């Protein structure tokens, strides 16, 4: 929340941005670094990054909001990426999607009430020969059935 | 003295997604328990994905395959003498190279994939790696470009543009600085060839990009990899570090006076960034919005400098051309489609995986001889070829040869070589709706036909499926598709209507009111 932002985070964000500002096209690597460090790109990062790169806040905000990966609110402890693309659809991803939303009681881009999982759609994990697929944090799982998903989530 | 037995357990994303890590751990533990000396190598996948985890054992220099192996099978495999290559186990498949699915392929780009330890430079060299680069450093840029042009290699990213012509433009454009950019934002559903190369044979991509740099005088390269491929990102970064330390990259490539540096850039989840000009915007740190062309990226690309933008497979194919010559490569294929195509059999298919084969084989051969039909055992109803912007191909076209021009004749495309199989339970009305929905989600927003058209497309299809003014809405849908095709600035809006139109033309029975049926299965309130 605005105003409650810890100054240490602001300092950390500035340090991450300063460390990369000389790289050509530095904005994306900086945003990745911030999200890797904090789990998201807080609103307070926008003016800091804009200042370091000598860009307008609108330019930085425009980039943060353009890409699906960047989020502006803290995520759950784990992120469940569920593939919605055609290869997975052909093997039951639509049913799996309905099952997950119901089970976690969230929609896409939301986090469970207990803060354990954020649910994100993804359009292809490159696991199309072992569909349907999900990725939990950075681990991909193939041939996922509702039963198998229960195991993965427990 | 008993020699150490080599055991291979793949470490590629798909093999791991179905349990390869657990199998590797079980094999190590069981070998230790029995006091058997083994060398466990985590190779890449052979791409026979229905057999993963596929374990191989090297006996007298020949690799024997077992698959699919579960951790629970490991003890019985040892009991059955698999370390000595014996076949009395239900998962025994015999010599890996003799498995028909693999034996019938023409593996050029994928020659080493699944065979070697991905990060071992020695293993790469032992299997012919870096021979292309060693030849290339002795040649002028012009000579390299001529060889690539002569080979007939066309871009494997979708548009199939001749690689040599693109390189020639960059070569001929005077500039103080030039770039090579690898488009590894393979966002098409049904494709995984790029991921396999990066995870299973990363040095071939590094070698191809370095040759491209030498060819046009570029000293800096970027590999732009989608975030959805975390393992590919890690492997490429590590491989670049090792290749630099070994002198294959850096200020003096192979001791020559030519420099080439390489860096991985992680994408951030935007399908449009697979479009080359959007990708360049993204690399420059901006929103991935497409650029008007001209100027072409080959003339004015990354940071305004002449830039080669090529797909992973195109670049990874360059080393074998520089190693064995243009004629060798050109000898494969048919018509103007030269060399090999990396077909990816995906979705509802019994034997899904990667098939690298010369152009010219029929779709039917791929789907049935290699793929074995559907995974569910039901009839194939449709195959989406070339990704989410590709047509749904009707079974009446299955005898078409895999050839860019032959596919284009009936409004389909080969694209990146992905084939997504659907059985007869597919609701193509829903797939048409999804094509528009996907375009609406992924539109970069720059041009109106794509940004607004896709949203309207979803609405019109919803009205058709709900039975509202069906004939008028079908006519409207066609008009909307036409507008998007002719009015969009890039392939996303320009091709998203292709799957929709293919369903209108070849599966019209699915794009009509089916409220009653759908109510029966609970989809309509």
């Amino acid at each position: 929340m605005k105003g409650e932002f810890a100054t240490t985070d602001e300092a950390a964000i500035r340090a991450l941005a300063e460390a990369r500002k000389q790289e050509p096209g530095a904005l994306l690597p900086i945003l990745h670094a911030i999200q890797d460090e904090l789990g998201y790109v807080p609103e307070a990062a926008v003016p800091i990054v804009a200042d370091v790169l000598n860009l307008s806040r609108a330019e930085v905000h425009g980039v943060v909001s353009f890409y699906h990966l960047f989020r502006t609110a803290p995520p759950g402890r784990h992120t469940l990426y569920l593939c919605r693309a055609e290869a997975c659809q052909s093997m039951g991803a639509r049913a799996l999607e309905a099952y997950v939303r119901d089970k976690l009681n969230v929609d896409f881009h939301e986090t469970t009430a207990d803060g354990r999982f954020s649910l994100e759609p993804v359009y292809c994990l490159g696991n199309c020969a072992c569909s349907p697929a999900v990725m939990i944090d950075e681990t991909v799982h193939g041939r996922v059935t509702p039963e198998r998903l229960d195991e993965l989530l427990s | 003295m008993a020699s150490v037995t080599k055991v291979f357990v793949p470490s590629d994303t798909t093999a791991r997604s179905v349990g390869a890590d657990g199998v590797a751990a079980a094999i190590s533990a069981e070998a230790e328990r029995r006091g058997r000396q083994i060398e466990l190598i985590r190779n890449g996948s052979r791409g026979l994905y229905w057999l993963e985890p596929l374990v191989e054992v090297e006996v007298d220099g020949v690799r024997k395959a077992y698959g699919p192996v579960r951790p629970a099978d490991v003890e019985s495999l040892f009991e059955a003498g698999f370390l000595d290559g014996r076949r009395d186990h239900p998962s025994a498949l015999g010599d890996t190279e003799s498995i028909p699915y693999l034996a019938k392929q023409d593996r050029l780009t994928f020659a080493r994939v699944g065979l070697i330890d991905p990060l071992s430079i020695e293993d790469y060299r032992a299997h012919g790696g870096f021979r292309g680069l060693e030849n290339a450093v002795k040649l002028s840029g012009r000579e390299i470009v001529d060889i690539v042009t002569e080979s007939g290699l066309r871009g494997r990213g979708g548009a199939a543009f001749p690689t040599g012509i693109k390189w020639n433009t960059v070569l001929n454009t005077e500039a103080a600085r030039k770039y090579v950019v690898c488009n590894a934002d393979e966002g098409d559903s049904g494709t995984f060839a790029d991921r396999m190369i990066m995870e299973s044979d990363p040095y071939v991509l590094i070698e191809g990009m370095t040759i491209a740099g030498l060819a046009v005088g570029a000293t800096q390269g970027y590999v732009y990899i989608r975030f959805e491929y975390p393992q590919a990102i890690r492997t490429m970064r590590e491989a670049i570090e090792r290749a630099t330390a070994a002198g294959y990259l850096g200020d003096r490539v192979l001791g020559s006076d030519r420099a080439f540096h390489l860096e991985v850039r992680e994408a951030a989840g935007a399908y449009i960034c697979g479009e080359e000009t959007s990708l360049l915007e993204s690399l420059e740190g901006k929103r991935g919005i497409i650029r008007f062309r001209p100027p072409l990226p080959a003339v004015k690309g990354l940071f305004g400098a002449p830039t080669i933008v090529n797909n992973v497979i195109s670049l990874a194919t360059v080393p074998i051309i520089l190693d064995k010559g243009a004629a060798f490569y050109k000898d494969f294929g048919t018509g103007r489609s030269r060399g090999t195509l990396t077909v990816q059999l995906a979705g509802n298919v019994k034997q899904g995986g990667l098939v690298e084969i010369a152009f010219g084989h029929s779709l039917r051969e791929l789907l049935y001889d290699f793929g074995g039909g559907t995974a569910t055992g039901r009839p194939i109803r449709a195959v989406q070829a070339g990704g989410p912007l590709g047509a749904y191909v009707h079974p009446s076209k299955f005898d078409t040869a895999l050839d860019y021009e032959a596919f284009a004749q009936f409004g389909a495309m080969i694209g990146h070589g992905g084939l997504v199989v659907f059985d007869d339970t597919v609701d193509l009305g829903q797939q048409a709706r999804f094509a528009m929905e996907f375009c609406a989600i992924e539109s970069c927003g720059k041009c109106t036909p794509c940004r607004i058209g896709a949203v309207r497309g979803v609405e019109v299809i919803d009205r058709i499926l709900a039975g509202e003014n069906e004939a008028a809405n079908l006519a409207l849908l066609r008009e909307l598709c036409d507008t998007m095709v002719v009015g969009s600035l890039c392939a996303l809006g320009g091709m998203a209507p292709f799957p929709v139109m293919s369903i209108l033309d070849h599966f019209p029975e699915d794009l009509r009111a089916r409220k009653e049926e759908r109510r029966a299965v609970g989809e309509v309130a």
Side-chain angles (χ1 to χ4, degrees):
Chain A
M1 245 175 280
K2 255 186 184 167
E4 287 180 19
F5 216 79
T7 48
T8 49
D9 276 353
E10 296 201 5
I13 289 166
R14 186 169 290 277
L16 290 169
E18 290 284 354
R20 288 166 181 78
K21 72 173 182 187
Q22 298 302 339
E23 288 180 28
L27 183 51
L28 239 61
I30 288 172
L31 295 176
H32 273 296
I34 294 170
Q35 182 148 310
D36 286 348
E37 185 82 14
L38 304 178
Y40 68 116
V41 181
E43 236 176 82
V46 172
I48 300 170
V49 174
D51 181 48
V52 172
L53 292 182
N54 199 21
L55 293 170
S56 73
R57 291 179 186 201
E59 281 170 301
V60 176
H61 174 78
V63 170
V64 174
S65 59
F66 182 83
Y67 295 96
H68 300 308
L69 179 69
F70 300 126
R71 51 170 126 237
T72 50
R77 289 193 292 284
H78 302 285
T79 302
L80 172 66
Y81 295 95
L82 187 133
C83 182
R84 294 191 69 211
E86 288 88 345
C88 285
Q89 287 174 14
S90 76
M91 289 299 282
R94 286 171 193 261
L96 196 63
E97 182 183 320
Y99 179 82
V100 174
R101 292 158 99 143
D102 189 56
K103 172 157 175 105
L104 296 180
N105 196 25
V106 290
D107 207 337
F108 285 120
H109 312 295
E110 291 178 1
T111 300
T112 54
D114 63 3
R116 250 188 105 211
F117 285 102
S118 294
L119 179 64
E120 296 290 339
V122 69
Y123 297 88
C124 200
L125 295 165
N127 211 42
C128 324
C130 292
S131 298
V134 303
M135 180 162 79
I136 298 176
D137 300 326
E138 291 201 345
T139 306
V140 176
H141 304 273
R143 297 176 193 147
V144 180
T145 57
E147 297 74 47
R148 188 147 148 68
L149 197 71
D150 282 343
E151 288 167 30
L152 294 171
L153 295 180
S154 66
Chain B
M1 194 184 106
S3 61
V4 177
T5 308
K6 282 186 180 170
V7 180
F8 299 83
V9 181
S11 65
D12 109 310
T13 292
T14 297
R16 296 177 68 202
S17 85
V18 292
D21 289 348
V23 171
I27 289 174
S28 291
E30 189 66 19
E32 183 153 347
R33 199 171 72 80
R34 290 168 183 259
R36 283 290 303 251
Q37 290 278 309
I38 63 164
E39 183 189 353
L40 184 74
I41 297 163
R42 301 301 302 270
N43 56 326
S45 174
R46 299 272 193 163
L48 283 61
Y49 279 141
W50 81 101
L51 292 174
E52 291 291 2
L54 179 90
V55 176
E56 290 176 89
V57 178
E58 192 176 295
V59 181
D60 300 328
V62 178
R63 282 160 71 159
K64 314 277 181 186
Y66 301 83
V69 174
R70 294 163 304 160
D73 300 327
V74 169
E75 197 184 336
S76 67
L77 274 168
F78 276 83
E79 282 300 318
F82 93 120
L83 284 187
D84 307 307
R86 293 222 295 273
R87 294 196 62 168
D88 35 2
H89 190 274
S91 68
L93 299 159
D95 295 0
T96 314
E97 304 281 349
S98 304
I99 299 172
Y101 196 93
L102 199 55
K104 287 193 289 183
Q105 298 190 32
D106 305 303
R107 289 229 173 173
L108 303 181
T109 310
F110 277 71
R112 277 174 299 264
V113 170
L115 207 59
I116 62 166
D117 174 349
L119 283 168
S120 164
I121 289 182
E122 303 80 69
D123 213 0
Y124 181 67
R125 287 194 63 95
H127 289 84
F130 289 125
R131 286 208 297 244
L133 181 61
E134 279 158 8
N135 289 337
V137 286
K138 295 177 208 139
L139 302 172
S140 69
R142 161 62 50 208
E143 287 168 320
I144 300 172
V145 171
D146 286 347
I147 291 169
V148 172
T149 306
E150 175 57 27
S151 75
L153 178 66
R154 290 165 77 173
R156 297 292 190 255
F161 190 80
T163 304
I165 293 180
K166 189 185 277 188
W167 288 22
N168 194 48
T169 307
V170 181
L171 175 69
N172 289 339
T173 306
E174 290 290 326
R177 196 162 173 75
K178 296 178 184 180
Y179 294 98
V180 177
V181 171
C182 173
N183 180 351
D185 194 14
E186 173 188 65
D188 286 352
S189 172
T191 60
F192 42 81
D194 294 3
R195 183 186 59 66
M196 287 181 69
I197 286 284
M198 292 188 285
E199 291 179 359
S200 305
D201 194 14
Y203 296 116
V204 81
L205 178 57
I206 292 172
E207 186 181 353
M209 290 186 73
T210 309
I211 294 168
L214 297 177
V216 300
T219 50
Q220 175 69 45
Y222 291 97
V223 192
Y224 183 89
I225 309 178
R226 60 201 328 253
F227 89 86
E228 294 90 337
Y229 289 180
Q231 189 175 328
I233 292 171
R234 285 194 298 271
T235 306
M236 283 307 302
R237 285 198 167 131
E238 176 68 26
I240 287 170
E241 207 167 291
R242 293 189 190 194
T244 306
Y248 295 101
L249 289 170
D251 289 329
R252 297 170 60 82
V253 171
L254 281 179
S256 71
D257 57 356
R258 288 141 100 181
F260 191 68
H261 301 265
L262 201 47
E263 186 185 327
V264 168
R265 280 292 170 90
E266 184 177 355
Y271 178 75
I272 194 62
C273 291
E275 194 280 332
E276 62 178 5
T277 63
S278 295
L279 189 159
L280 294 174
E281 290 287 302
S282 184
L283 268 179
E284 291 182 5
K286 303 174 198 156
R287 298 199 288 167
I289 291 178
I290 72 138
R291 296 177 183 172
F292 289 100
R293 278 181 290 194
L296 295 168
V299 175
K300 204 165 183 282
L302 187 63
F303 303 115
T307 304
I308 287 182
V309 186
N310 272 145
N311 178 266
V312 173
I313 301 297
S314 323
L315 289 163
T317 300
V318 167
I320 197 164
I321 294 170
L322 266 292
D323 175 18
K324 301 203 168 171
F328 168 84
Y329 188 75
K330 201 177 181 177
D331 242 20
F332 293 86
T334 178
R336 287 171 51 211
S337 301
R338 309 309 314 177
T340 55
L341 176 67
T342 46
V343 179
Q344 295 131 90
L345 292 171
N348 193 339
V349 60
K350 193 173 165 198
Q351 298 181 162
L354 181 110
V355 179
E356 182 177 356
I357 201 160
F359 283 97
H361 291 264
S362 75
L363 201 47
R364 187 179 304 281
E365 196 182 334
L366 267 301
L367 296 171
Y368 292 98
D369 293 356
F370 283 94
T374 63
T376 46
R378 303 180 66 95
I380 297 180
R381 172 106 191 281
V383 174
Q384 189 177 26
L389 313 179
Y392 284 86
V393 180
H394 190 271
S396 63
K397 304 286 187 198
F398 285 178
D399 290 313
T400 308
L402 286 160
D403 167 302
Y404 293 118
E405 280 69 34
F407 264 56
Q409 267 181 6
F410 65 97
M413 62 165 184
I414 289 178
H416 194 348
L419 298 175
V420 178
V421 181
F422 291 83
D423 72 10
D424 61 352
T425 62
V426 65
D427 178 345
L428 290 166
Q430 287 301 324
Q431 297 310 121
R433 184 187 192 278
F434 179 78
M436 287 292 187
E437 186 190 355
F438 181 74
C439 184
I441 293 168
E442 295 294 345
S443 175
C444 83
K446 183 156 181 165
C447 69
T448 318
C450 173
R451 184 182 67 242
I452 309 285
V455 176
R456 296 290 172 258
V458 173
E459 293 166 359
V460 176
I461 291 171
D462 277 345
R463 288 201 295 271
I464 292 167
L465 297 177
E468 279 176 45
N469 297 327
E470 205 179 312
N473 276 313
L474 279 169
L476 184 62
L477 181 60
R478 272 200 192 274
E479 254 182 65
L480 178 69
C481 285
D482 285 346
T483 305
M484 289 175 70
V485 170
V486 300
S488 297
L489 280 173
C490 83
L492 178 54
M495 291 172 64
F498 286 9
V500 180
M501 293 190 298
S502 68
I503 292 166
L504 277 168
D505 290 339
H506 303 293
F507 306 91
E509 62 278 19
D510 279 28
L511 261 179
R512 60 174 173 83
R514 280 162 308 135
K515 214 171 176 179
E516 291 313 311
E517 283 171 42
R518 293 172 59 228
R519 182 172 286 135
V521 293
E523 285 180 26
V524 176

